[in-house]
Amino acid sequence: MTAVTAGDAFTADGFDITVHGDLHATIHRDIPRVVNLGYLVDGRVYHPGDAYHVPEAPVGTLLLPAAGPWTRTGEAADYVRAVAPERLVQIHEAMPSEIGQHSMARLLSPGMLTDVPLEIVPPGDSIEV
């Protein structure tokens, strides 16, 4: 195992990965923030971890943390706008019910708060990116 920090780049199993971010999103002022890094894979797929850090590179597919103790719908919408991905896929979706997941997808959709539809991947399903 090798520790990485923002700005690093490495190859893993044939994938080129760049490292972005710094700290976990704030949950509450009484909970200390910890290191959180995002990973851009092959310059196309970005997993931001538990933060809404905007990478300094274009993003084809953004894996959007859509639920958690630190997430807020308005911040998620602003984040999607800032990253401006071609594709948006919901992750960190275990906390809300199916109705809650679809509600977030509706809010973060064209005609509402973003220009990119939020895809929901049902448990056990997979997608190609």
Side-chain angles (χ1 to χ4, degrees):
M1 183 181 305
T2 302
V4 295
T5 61
D8 287 350
F10 61 95
T11 300
D13 284 334
F15 296 99
D16 294 323
I17 301 169
T18 56
V19 184
H20 305 266
D22 55 8
L23 294 174
H24 191 289
T26 300
I27 296 172
H28 187 274
R29 67 180 171 271
D30 292 344
I31 298 175
R33 294 175 71 193
V34 296
V35 173
N36 181 94
L37 298 172
Y39 299 93
L40 182 61
V41 180
D42 282 342
R44 299 278 312 139
V45 178
Y46 185 60
H47 188 308
D50 287 341
Y52 287 153
H53 177 82
V54 178
E56 296 86 28
V59 171
T61 299
L62 173 61
L63 305 177
L64 179 71
W70 58 273
T71 56
R72 292 168 188 82
T73 303
E75 288 179 6
D78 290 342
Y79 179 64
V80 172
R81 291 175 181 178
V83 175
E86 298 168 18
R87 186 175 185 193
L88 187 60
V89 178
Q90 179 175 253
I91 61 169
H92 292 215
E93 75 289 352
M95 292 177 79
S97 68
E98 185 176 341
I99 293 170
Q101 289 180 32
H102 286 279
S103 177
M104 180 65 98
R106 185 175 42 78
L107 288 167
L108 298 179
S109 67
M112 290 290 285
L113 297 175
T114 76
D115 293 330
V116 184
L118 179 63
E119 297 178 38
I120 297 171
V121 181
D125 284 6
S126 62
I127 60 171
E128 288 205 27
V129 292

